[in-house]
Amino acid sequence: MTSTLQLSFVLDGLSCGGCVGRAQRAIETVPGVRGAHVNLANARADVTADLGLSVAELAHVLSKAGYPARERQVVLQLEGLSCGSCIARVEAALLAVPGVLSAHASLADGRARLQVLDGDGDDQALLNASSQAGYQAIVINGGDRGVETPKERSAREQRDLRKRTFWAALLTLPVFGLEMGGHLVPSFHHWMMATIGQTVSWTLQAILVSMLLFGPGRQFLTIGFSALWRRAPDMNSLVALGTTAAFSYSMVACFLPGVLPVDAVAVYFESAAVIVTLILVGRLLEARAKGQTGAAIQALAGLQPATAHRLPALGEPAQEVPVADIRSGDLIRLRPGERVAVDGVVVQGQGPLDEAMLSGEPIPVFKSNGDRVSAGTVNGASPLVIQTTDVGQHTRLSQIIAMVERAQAVKLPVQALVDRITLWFVPAILGVAVITFLIWVSLGSSLSAALVASVSVLIIACPCAMGLATPTSIMVGLGRAAEQGILFRKGTALQSLEGVQLVAFDKTGTLTEGKPALIEAHCAPNVDKERLLSQVAALEVQSEHPIGQALVRAAPSDGIAVEAVDVSPGQGISGLVAGERLAVGTFDYIAISVDIPESWQSAAREASAKGATPVFVARDGAAAAVLMMLDQLKPEAASAISALKQQGLKVAMISGDTVGAASHIAARLGIDIVFGACLPKQKLERLAELKAVHGAVAFVGDGINDVPALAAADCGIALGTGTDVAMEAGEVVLSAGTPQGVVSALQMSRAIMRNIRQNLVWAFGYNVLMVPVAAGILVPFGGPMLSPMLAAGAMAGSSVLVLANALRLRRGFGSIHDTLSGQQNKSLAVSG
């Protein structure tokens, strides 16, 4: 066996021979690297290293040097995952493959998501590693055609389990009747002894149970003993050992009774049969429940129509074509009531669209020329023509689905502990079963009694419940959240959001409409107001800030040349406009180089006290104007703030607007902690102060100037109506762009985490309590010896209960919007 490994991957940022040298030297500093060669022509690094090389450290060093290793995601569909210990083993096997940076497997959907160095794109080593660990895999990332969807896979599994369960039950019934019928009905026992006799009865049972174990129950044996052979026992191993022990003992008692003590000659064929049947029933119920955990995402995926009506040109007849044939720039006709197939922009017609599937808001949104529409939404009563902008995996709907699936696959910190425990759980149960057998034998019990106790221990233990406890709650909860327009970009936000003590809001575009209007303008005597406003509008086209966009709407700017633009987020913008140097921004931004009249400063203070925002303009080094902008509160802002405070949370506002404007809005909303005139850096400082006093802080924002705060907060919440860069920085995205979504997100995170804890308490508590009972700990106190059949029923029910509890989250958030709507009217009446 070789003691070295070869890695080949692509680097970003290489531009010259100097880069090559620096990247190569950086690689060589990583412990375990024996040699490295970097090729500028194909940007590829070839590394020879020891087997123990930390790929994550290698990637970190390269990123720090400025030449990050290119990464890609690989998603594997795994077969044979049955419990939490399987998850830990397959992850360990995949992480051992050279080039793998991270690997996260989920019992809930049977998938493993890996981050790997982008090399030659050959995933065969990953498939081989998974196979050697005992789990067959196929690569499914990229939505490859011919690969089963989760819904199809779930349906196939259920069909297979239904068939196996039917035959298992059919074979078990006569065995159970022959053995237990006499105990239930004594006359039946006497009749059977007088007709077929015990020997024939036991022989019939042996034949039927053999057919059962090597037919419907064969999978337990093949997978379970294979895992034992690899010294990686799993749930199937426990079942295989338990049923085989009962079956083998019974076969000896039936055909070689002389080798056993007289009082130990007994058969347990019915136990082996009932165990297999009950566990198959449990797995069927489990498969059905697991199929429902991803129902929300499956429903979203099913919203995109298979066809659309494409127009060769405006005014020409439409042709129905498959969505796969539509390209960017195509014209699509939307009939009344028709579901939108692609993302696009309205180019003809106007009318309402139902966007509830994206935002969770039931009220239709009016669309007209130039407005964007998204795949999956439903057209109202008016015909529309849209021009396609995005199709396939690039539509907003597809990106939402991908975002939620990534979040669902995440592992919370608590799951890492669970995985470590389940990795050793099955070996520990095997040890307990052996000890149980030895203790009962040493106490003078018969071999058959000791066997019953040890088999019960093997069968009752349920690592499945522990493995399912966290991922099923996450899948169901995040799917339900997505249906309401609350997208958790990072699953870890569930845990961080739950612990939040204070919520800090940006003002403009977050608590206000973000569409301020120009209400007043004070210009210098020699300034043409209309021309100046046109120049300001031409410059602000370069800005994404809501006030900048409002200034664009305030005046026409067509044909005005703009160059040398410089943007200072949160402060202002400057540039050459029609040959003149123009600067637009806050008082501090303009006052650095221009004297501002005291009368303008006084007017600005008065406007700020009334909630308006003053914007100062300088042209060619002289004060040109002060413009008063007024933004309206979002209708549901007051009710959202009230709801947060009712939950015991502190609420703050950190705004880049003037102190006066920010304080005025805060007072109207009932926000006690307010900071105004904050640049992006100062927002970080205010966040740090709030953390020190109040604990974990969530920040809610929508603009470029909010990005540092969104990233620095314990949980960043971005509005879906804001800038793309803000949404990328946020851990949670609110599609509807309303403050009430913050309340919903907090409630959802708490409900999901509470559900996870309930599942974990049940899963661990069940095993801690029931394994000793199965071992017979209650017998000395007059308690019963647990039958292996009852143990099988308890084990099967344990996983089903965990799944059933997780599925409660599907109906757990129905009244949030209604509750807030009721609070909204009351709050507005007070604030008005």
Side-chain angles (χ1 to χ4, degrees):
M1 174 183 279
T2 178
S3 60
T4 62
L5 61 84
Q6 302 292 325
L7 287 177
S8 182
F9 51 90
V10 179
L11 299 179
D12 285 329
L14 297 178
S15 58
C16 64
C19 298
V20 168
R22 284 188 289 272
Q24 195 162 299
R25 286 191 294 273
I27 294 172
E28 290 169 345
T29 64
V30 178
V33 172
R34 296 190 178 187
H37 174 71
V38 178
N39 188 323
L40 180 61
N42 56 14
R44 184 176 291 273
D46 295 296
V47 179
T48 302
D50 296 332
L51 290 177
L53 175 74
S54 170
V55 180
E57 184 178 354
L58 176 64
H60 173 72
V61 167
L62 282 167
S63 180
K64 190 175 178 181
Y67 309 102
R70 195 174 299 170
E71 301 174 14
R72 62 188 176 91
Q73 187 184 58
V74 179
V75 182
L76 304 180
Q77 185 69 59
L78 303 170
E79 293 287 346
L81 296 180
S82 60
C83 63
S85 57
C86 300
I87 298 300
R89 289 192 180 92
V90 75
E91 286 181 350
L94 292 170
L95 284 170
V97 177
V100 175
L101 293 162
S102 64
H104 299 293
S106 171
L107 186 59
D109 62 3
R111 291 183 176 182
R113 293 164 176 84
L114 301 91
Q115 203 69 20
V116 303
L117 294 179
D118 189 3
D120 56 14
D122 182 12
D123 298 320
Q124 190 58 47
L126 300 173
L127 301 179
N128 292 341
S130 180
S131 177
Q132 289 169 10
Y135 311 98
Q136 297 299 319
I138 57 173
V139 179
I140 64 169
N141 48 304
D144 301 342
R145 294 186 180 183
V147 174
E148 282 182 316
T149 65
K151 186 175 181 179
E152 291 169 342
R153 180 172 178 267
S154 175
R156 176 178 58 79
E157 287 180 348
Q158 290 180 50
R159 285 194 304 271
D160 178 61
L161 281 167
R162 272 196 297 269
K163 183 171 68 175
R164 291 168 58 198
T165 303
F166 170 78
W167 286 109
L170 196 64
L171 293 167
T172 297
L173 280 173
V175 174
F176 187 83
L178 287 169
E179 185 61 28
M180 302 302 293
H183 297 288
L184 300 174
V185 183
S187 58
F188 175 78
H189 173 73
H190 297 313
W191 174 84
M192 188 180 67
M193 289 296 101
T195 53
I196 63 174
Q198 178 176 277
T199 301
V200 174
S201 171
W202 284 6
T203 302
L204 285 173
Q205 291 180 49
I207 294 170
L208 291 171
V209 174
S210 297
M211 294 170 63
L212 170 61
L213 289 181
F214 296 102
R218 183 179 67 254
Q219 188 177 30
F220 294 121
L221 304 181
T222 55
I223 296 176
F225 285 118
S226 175
L228 276 173
W229 180 258
R230 296 192 308 272
R231 290 180 295 179
D234 62 4
M235 184 67 223
N236 294 290
S237 302
L238 297 181
V239 177
L241 284 172
T243 54
T244 302
F247 175 73
S248 300
Y249 187 94
S250 301
M251 292 293 281
V252 171
C254 180
F255 299 107
L256 297 170
V259 304
L260 297 173
V262 175
D263 61 348
V265 178
V267 296
Y268 297 96
F269 288 123
E270 85 288 351
S271 290
V274 172
I275 286 169
V276 170
T277 302
L278 284 178
I279 293 176
L280 284 173
V281 170
R283 290 203 174 176
L284 175 58
L285 294 174
E286 185 180 312
R288 291 179 62 182
K290 283 167 69 175
Q292 296 175 49
T293 59
I297 297 304
Q298 292 167 17
L300 284 176
L303 290 177
Q304 187 173 36
T307 61
H309 296 90
R310 184 169 61 188
L311 297 172
L314 285 175
E316 295 188 18
Q319 300 174 339
E320 187 172 8
V321 297
V323 170
D325 293 341
I326 296 174
R327 299 291 179 266
S328 180
D330 286 353
L331 296 175
I332 306 297
R333 180 180 297 282
L334 294 177
R335 295 177 296 187
E338 188 175 17
R339 194 174 290 278
V340 183
V342 293
D343 287 3
V345 176
V346 176
V347 294
Q348 188 178 88
Q350 58 182 10
L353 253 76
D354 180 356
E355 295 187 334
M357 49 73 59
L358 288 177
S359 65
E361 295 293 330
I363 301 173
V365 180
F366 191 83
K367 301 288 183 179
S368 59
N369 276 8
D371 289 336
R372 296 184 63 85
V373 299
S374 299
T377 56
V378 180
N379 189 23
S382 304
L384 299 175
V385 176
I386 65 170
Q387 186 169 35
T388 304
T389 56
D390 295 291
V391 297
Q393 300 298 314
H394 301 291
T395 65
R396 188 180 179 193
L397 175 61
S398 295
Q399 290 171 350
I400 286 174
I401 293 170
M403 181 190 302
V404 177
E405 286 180 337
R406 285 195 298 270
Q408 287 177 333
V410 77
K411 285 199 174 182
L412 300 182
V414 67
Q415 183 64 25
L417 174 62
V418 174
D419 287 347
R420 286 198 296 272
I421 293 173
T422 52
L423 182 63
W424 296 103
F425 180 81
V426 174
I429 291 299
L430 292 174
V432 172
V434 171
I435 293 171
T436 298
F437 182 85
L438 295 175
I439 288 175
W440 280 105
V441 170
S442 67
L443 292 175
S445 295
S446 65
L447 289 175
S448 59
L451 176 69
V452 166
S454 59
V455 168
S456 294
V457 168
L458 290 173
I459 297 303
I460 205 166
C462 188
C464 307
M466 294 188 288
L468 289 167
T470 300
T472 50
S473 296
I474 292 175
M475 284 189 69
V476 177
L478 295 191
R480 179 66 175 134
E483 288 181 331
Q484 295 201 0
I486 299 170
L487 308 174
F488 285 79
R489 291 187 63 251
K490 300 177 182 177
T492 50
L494 282 171
Q495 201 160 338
S496 57
L497 186 57
E498 184 208 24
V500 160
Q501 301 297 313
L502 179 145
V503 180
F505 287 87
D506 170 50
K507 180 181 78 71
T508 305
T510 303
L511 293 172
T512 64
E513 292 286 1
K515 296 181 179 179
L518 177 63
I519 59 171
E520 191 178 350
H522 299 274
C523 296
N526 60 338
V527 171
D528 183 308
K529 176 182 174 182
E530 298 303 323
R531 181 172 181 272
L532 179 69
L533 288 177
S534 294
Q535 286 182 305
V536 169
L539 181 62
E540 291 288 358
V541 167
Q542 314 298 322
S543 171
E544 291 187 342
H545 195 280
I547 288 180
Q549 295 303 302
L551 290 169
V552 171
R553 294 191 295 270
S557 59
D558 295 342
I560 299 179
V562 179
E563 56 185 331
V565 176
D566 179 52
V567 179
S568 297
Q571 300 180 71
I573 185 171
S574 64
L576 285 174
V577 183
E580 297 177 292
R581 171 60 63 178
L582 201 71
V584 183
T586 64
F587 174 83
D588 291 337
Y589 180 69
I590 300 300
I592 293 175
S593 56
V594 173
D595 291 329
I596 299 176
E598 180 59 38
S599 61
W600 287 9
Q601 296 182 44
S602 176
R605 286 191 292 270
E606 290 179 11
S608 294
K610 297 176 183 178
T613 301
V615 177
F616 295 88
V617 183
R619 186 168 63 185
D620 286 339
V626 58
L627 312 175
M628 308 304 179
M629 313 295 296
L630 184 63
D631 197 4
Q632 298 296 322
L633 281 175
K634 289 186 175 180
E636 66 283 353
S639 61
I641 299 301
S642 175
L644 290 172
K645 295 173 79 171
Q646 287 176 16
Q647 293 181 27
L649 294 168
K650 299 288 185 180
V651 182
M653 179 194 292
I654 306 177
S655 174
D657 210 340
T658 64
V659 173
S663 298
H664 177 81
I665 294 297
R668 289 183 62 188
L669 293 174
I671 298 176
D672 302 319
I673 306 171
V674 56
F675 302 99
C678 292
L679 300 176
K681 182 179 179 181
Q682 292 169 320
K683 287 189 176 184
L684 292 179
E685 294 170 355
R686 300 292 87 80
L687 267 182
E689 293 172 10
L690 292 172
K691 281 185 184 183
V693 176
H694 300 284
V697 174
F699 182 81
V700 188
D702 72 324
I704 292 176
N705 60 323
D706 297 321
V707 169
L710 286 167
D714 294 283
C715 184
I717 304 176
L719 302 191
T721 50
T723 60
D724 290 342
V725 67
M727 285 187 281
E728 283 297 316
E731 294 174 285
V732 181
V733 177
L734 309 178
S735 291
T738 60
Q740 70 182 21
V742 178
V743 184
S744 300
L746 279 160
Q747 290 184 346
M748 288 178 177
S749 70
R750 290 173 176 175
I752 293 169
M753 292 304 300
R754 183 168 58 248
N755 193 270
I756 288 172
R757 292 191 185 97
Q758 291 167 351
N759 283 347
L760 289 174
V761 167
W762 165 255
F764 282 95
Y766 163 87
N767 284 290
V768 168
L769 292 175
M770 296 305 292
V771 169
V773 170
I777 197 172
L778 298 180
V779 172
F781 306 99
M785 174 67 78
L786 194 65
S787 161
M789 289 184 289
L790 292 177
M795 190 277 285
S798 180
S799 295
V800 175
L801 279 174
V802 165
L803 285 160
N805 188 49
L807 288 172
R808 291 192 306 116
L809 291 170
R810 293 176 63 187
R811 57 181 185 275
F813 312 115
S815 62
I816 291 176
H817 290 298
D818 296 336
T819 301
L820 286 171
S821 298
Q823 292 174 346
Q824 176 182 324
N825 296 331
K826 180 179 177 181
S827 300
L828 286 178
V830 172
S831 64

